[in-house]
């Protein structure tokens, strides 16, 4: 890929093409599709993003994509089938959707721009007494920030996995479908990964975070939607 980019650049130089647009096209073609796993500890200290990478690899897409984010870590020592999986992410243990929306997401997307964002957030907001209205408003703000960063952002929002105190999780999850439909657009589609249905509290390792079985459930719900987005983006 790098070699062909060099050749194209040389050809443009020799033919005296002075405008910047052909070069921009070359740059874009040379770049991998950028996927940001965004969330809290359920994104940071878990293995579902590793298992989703396995799905990308099995589909033969791994060489054309990358995970992006300011973090690059594998705190759970996940061992997916693909040893060299991309460990970049934007998962921040303990963080609230409202704070990420108000103070952080704009900067993160400037630092590591993305084509696709997949996110699960709200668990810590529930633990700290934020209302469903406040959490959904944070989601709306985040979608606005994502689209300001990239008008063609493809967005996967996860239904939140169960918590011990589940009623408020259920309330968020019940609100997500109508919310997502209301903000959906052809240019910047939003799809919902149902990480809640069939996810039992016994699929949590500590009452909050998924066990390996829980990680497999999340990956099985997020992965196919991500593969669809990746294939669309790559024109496959
Ligand atoms: C958003 O629109 C796309 C088609 O562009 C559709 O596949 C998807 O299901 C819609 N999302 C929601 C939440 O309705």
């Amino acid at each position: 890929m790098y070699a062909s980019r060099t050749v194209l650049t040389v050809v443009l130089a020799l033919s005296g093409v002075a405008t910047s647009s052909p070069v921009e096209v070359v740059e874009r073609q040379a770049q991998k599709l950028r996927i940001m796993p965004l969330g809290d500890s359920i994104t940071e200290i878990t293995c579902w993003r590793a298992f989703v990478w396995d799905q990308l690899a099995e589909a033969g897409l791994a060489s054309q994509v990358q995970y992006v984010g300011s973090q690059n870590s594998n705190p759970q020592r996940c061992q997916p089938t693909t040893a060299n999986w991309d460990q970049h992410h934007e998962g921040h243990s303990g963080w609230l959707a409202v704070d990420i929306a108000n103070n952080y997401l704009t900067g993160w997307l400037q630092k590591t721009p993305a084509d696709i964002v997949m996110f699960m957030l709200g668990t810590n907001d529930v633990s700290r007494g934020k209302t469903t209205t406040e959490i959904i408003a944070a989601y709306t703000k985040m979608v606005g920030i994502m689209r300001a960063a990239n008008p063609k952002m493809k967005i996967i929002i996860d239904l939140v996995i169960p918590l011990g105190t589940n009623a408020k999780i259920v309330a968020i999850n019940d609100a997500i479908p109508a919310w997502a439909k209301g903000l959906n657009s052809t240019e910047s589609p939003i799809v919902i990964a149902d990480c809640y249905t069939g996810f039992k509290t016994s699929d949590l390792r500590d009452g909050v975070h998924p066990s390996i079985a829980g990680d497999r459930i999340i990956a099985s719900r997020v992965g196919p939607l991500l593969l669809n987005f990746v294939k669309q983006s790559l024109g496959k």
Side-chain angles (χ1 to χ4, degrees):
M1 199 173 278
Y2 196 80
S4 66
R5 173 174 157 180
T6 306
V7 169
L8 280 168
T9 306
V10 169
V11 169
L12 290 171
L14 289 177
S15 60
V17 176
T19 59
S20 64
S21 52
V23 177
E24 281 170 17
V25 170
V26 172
E27 294 283 352
R28 268 203 298 277
Q29 287 168 348
Q31 191 174 55
K32 292 181 180 185
L33 199 65
R34 303 159 300 186
I35 303 160
M36 177 182 281
L38 169 69
D40 49 32
S41 56
I42 298 167
T43 295
E44 183 178 16
I45 54 169
T46 55
C47 290
W48 66 264
R49 55 194 167 88
F51 298 149
V52 168
W53 189 269
D54 275 343
Q55 295 177 41
L56 291 162
E58 279 158 27
L61 298 167
S63 65
Q64 289 160 280
V65 301
Q66 59 182 329
Y67 282 163
V68 297
S70 63
Q71 310 298 300
N72 189 10
S73 65
N74 181 17
Q76 284 303 104
R77 301 175 189 277
C78 309
Q79 297 191 325
T81 308
T82 324
N84 63 339
W85 66 287
D86 191 336
Q87 298 177 5
H88 285 90
H89 65 94
E90 205 59 88
H92 297 266
S93 294
W95 289 38
L96 280 63
V98 293
D99 293 329
I100 289 174
N102 288 336
N103 301 317
Y104 294 98
L105 186 57
T106 301
W108 289 341
L109 283 169
Q110 278 165 1
K111 236 170 105 184
T112 61
D115 303 296
I116 300 172
V117 173
M118 48 185 187
F119 77 100
M120 184 189 298
L121 277 166
T123 306
N124 295 306
D125 302 73
V126 165
S127 300
R128 309 277 188 86
K130 299 292 175 194
T131 65
T132 304
T133 306
E134 287 172 311
I135 296 164
I136 296 293
Y139 289 172
T140 302
K141 186 157 188 179
M142 284 191 280
V143 167
I145 291 167
M146 291 173 200
R147 288 174 172 168
N150 177 358
K152 295 183 174 172
M153 191 76 83
K154 290 178 162 58
I155 301 165
I156 301 171
I157 180 165
D158 297 349
L159 296 192
V160 184
I161 60 172
L163 249 189
T165 48
N166 213 25
K168 289 181 97 179
I169 297 291
V170 171
I172 301 170
N173 287 343
D174 283 350
I176 285 176
W179 167 83
K181 210 170 176 189
L183 285 179
N184 204 9
S185 77
T186 309
E187 196 186 23
S188 170
I190 304 175
V191 295
I192 301 166
D194 182 357
C195 297
Y196 183 81
T197 306
F199 194 114
K200 302 180 296 297
T201 46
S202 58
D203 297 315
L204 299 169
R205 66 172 188 258
D206 56 6
V208 178
H209 302 99
S211 64
I212 288 293
D215 280 321
R216 296 241 179 247
I217 294 173
I218 296 173
S220 76
R221 309 289 166 80
V222 173
L225 298 176
L226 179 64
L227 258 61
N228 276 346
F229 271 169
V230 168
K231 287 176 189 165
Q232 279 171 23
S233 301
L234 296 174
K236 295 185 181 223

